[in-house]
Amino acid sequence: MARIGTMAIIAIEYTYDVAQSELIAEHRPTHRAHLRDLHDAGPVLTFGPLGDDSALILVEADSPEAGLNVLTGDPFVALGVIKNRSARVWNPAVNPWA
């Protein structure tokens, strides 16, 4: 596994409920501020949109499940605007965090 220290890089994809696009837009600044705080604290490496209906978040964690747990406090999770969250270990061929 690609690791930073003793942890793996976990790629987490959010798929948004586009029927709630107004709610998503309204709360996006809070969502992004939360992810920036997690980035500043260390577990979130980077994040950004994948088109209009999804996003990719790279997290440093022991497992995919632990990666999802890092994001439990995300306002989008609490609002229920995420239709699906998937997580898996990512092994980058070129690792800028190594």
Side-chain angles (χ1 to χ4, degrees), residues 71-96:
L71 301 175
T72 300
D74 185 340
F76 277 3
V77 173
L79 287 167
V81 298
I82 301 169
K83 285 187 352 184
N84 185 48
R85 296 188 316 158
S86 64
R88 56 188 162 172
V89 174
W90 181 52
N91 294 303
V94 176
N95 184 348

Side-chain angles (χ1 to χ4, degrees), residues 51-69:
D52 293 333
D53 66 345
S54 61
L56 180 66
I57 305 166
L58 298 181
V59 175
E60 184 180 21
D62 289 326
S63 67
E65 296 78 18
L68 288 171
N69 287 339

Side-chain angles (χ1 to χ4, degrees), residues 14-72:
Y14 280 3
T15 303
Y16 299 120
D17 180 357
V18 294
Q20 298 188 64
S21 59
E22 288 182 22
L23 188 61
I24 291 168
E26 177 184 347
H27 292 276
R28 183 172 284 119
T30 305
H31 157 72
R32 287 185 175 168
H34 177 74
L35 293 178
R36 273 191 289 282
D37 288 347
L38 290 173
H39 175 268
D40 292 346
V44 170
L45 300 172
T46 192
F47 58 92
L50 290 172
D52 293 333
D53 66 345
S54 61
L56 180 66
I57 305 166
L58 298 181
V59 175
E60 184 180 21
D62 289 326
S63 67
E65 296 78 18
L68 288 171
N69 287 339
V70 166
L71 301 175
T72 300

